[in-house]
Amino acid sequence: MHLFPTIHIKNGKCYSTTSKDVLGRHNIYTSRPEKLAAIWEAQGAKWLHVVDVDGATTGIPSNEDVVREILNTVHIPVQFGGGLRTVKDIDNYLNMGVARVICGTKPVQSQRFATEAVSLFGAERFVVGIDTLNGMVAIEGREKICDFNAVSLAHKLSEVGVKTVIYTDIMRSVAHRGPSIDNIRELIVRTNLDVIAAGGIYHMNDLEDLKKAGVSGAIIAAALYEGKIKLSEAAELFGD
């Protein structure tokens, strides 16, 4: 199971998407995301998961310089998502040095887009993010709910050559309630896709449950920053 420490970027800084300060502002972890990337690499990370939160909301990647700094700092592969809704944007980030891209909105809106992306870049470099809210798929920065559930969307993606998806249960992510094991297991059993789990991973036993469920990877965010999971220990016990 691959472990993916996460760097969420907003306005050039790494910040928490869930925890807030007493004034209700999202906590900023560092104004130098590339230094944090180096820390995760030193602690045993073999991959990084980087998200342009601004881009996910606007549909236009907005933190290219920060991503470049991360790529120039670490020597491990980086998967990147957030606002990638054109073939040109995907091509730009892959040429920049990103190992693979993550798209959530456009493949849901257009099966033709997913087909073209797989054809142009290959299934190993094109991953689809499936964010769900109350069982239904959410897109456009999680602001719009679609008519697909995760399994039905996964089947459509598989038909056009997609091999890997990132599954996130939004409510469990916000509430730190643990990953949605039953839904993740169903997705694995009912499709032929590699499933990377995200959302709600907050303790070491969550990683153990995910590995038993058969996921190909686990994306860890708040648990690392808040010290609930130590990356070096997790990598030794559960990492590939």
Side-chain angles (χ1 to χ4, degrees):
M1 180 172 73
H2 294 304
L3 302 181
F4 297 83
T6 302
I7 297 177
H8 289 105
I9 304 170
K10 186 176 179 64
N11 295 325
K13 301 177 177 63
C14 174
Y15 89 120
S16 166
T17 58
T18 55
S19 60
K20 298 180 180 181
D21 63 17
V22 293
L23 299 178
R25 298 172 300 193
H26 287 285
N27 290 327
I28 295 173
Y29 292 127
T30 177
S31 60
R32 299 291 300 276
E34 74 280 4
K35 290 191 174 182
L36 184 58
I39 290 173
W40 296 146
E41 182 179 28
Q43 291 186 9
K46 295 183 179 179
W47 275 89
L48 285 178
H49 178 74
V50 177
V51 180
D52 182 340
V53 179
D54 299 308
T57 302
T58 64
I60 303 171
S62 306
N63 290 280
E64 183 174 322
D65 290 344
V66 179
V67 177
R68 286 186 186 277
E69 284 294 327
I70 292 172
L71 292 170
N72 289 334
T73 300
V74 300
H75 303 88
I76 54 177
V78 173
Q79 66 179 21
F80 169 80
L84 300 176
R85 300 182 190 175
T86 69
V87 167
K88 182 179 179 181
D89 284 337
I90 293 174
D91 189 54
N92 179 42
Y93 275 84
L94 290 176
N95 285 331
M96 190 190 304
V98 167
R100 63 188 181 194
V101 298
I102 308 153
C103 294
T105 295
K106 197 65 177 180
V108 180
Q109 296 174 329
S110 171
Q111 195 168 353
R112 180 180 295 179
F113 174 82
T115 304
E116 183 180 9
V118 171
S119 176
L120 288 173
F121 307 113
E124 297 303 316
R125 307 192 77 189
F126 179 75
V127 175
V128 176
I130 300 179
D131 295 343
T132 65
L133 185 63
N134 297 323
M136 304 307 290
V137 175
I139 59 173
E140 296 182 5
R142 301 178 174 177
E143 296 294 327
K144 181 179 179 181
I145 306 300
C146 301
D147 295 329
F148 295 109
N149 62 33
V151 173
S152 63
L153 175 59
H155 280 304
K156 288 184 176 294
L157 294 170
S158 179
E159 290 172 358
V160 300
V162 172
K163 299 297 185 184
T164 304
V165 297
I166 296 173
Y167 174 84
T168 306
D169 184 315
I170 297 169
M171 292 307 297
R172 286 180 175 268
S173 179
V174 172
H176 296 164
R177 289 169 50 196
S180 183
I181 296 294
D182 289 342
N183 290 335
I184 292 167
R185 188 180 290 113
E186 180 186 22
L187 190 58
I188 293 170
V189 170
R190 294 182 60 186
T191 73
N192 62 347
L193 299 174
D194 290 332
V195 177
I196 298 172
I201 301 170
Y202 210 56
H203 300 285
M204 292 289 279
N205 63 319
D206 294 329
L207 294 174
E208 183 176 6
D209 290 341
L210 287 169
K211 187 158 189 175
K212 289 178 180 178
V215 300
S216 65
I219 291 171
I220 318 171
L224 292 177
Y225 299 111
E226 297 174 20
K228 302 295 184 180
I229 292 176
K230 186 176 180 180
L231 183 59
S232 57
E233 182 180 350
E236 183 177 350
L237 290 174
F238 305 113
D240 289 339

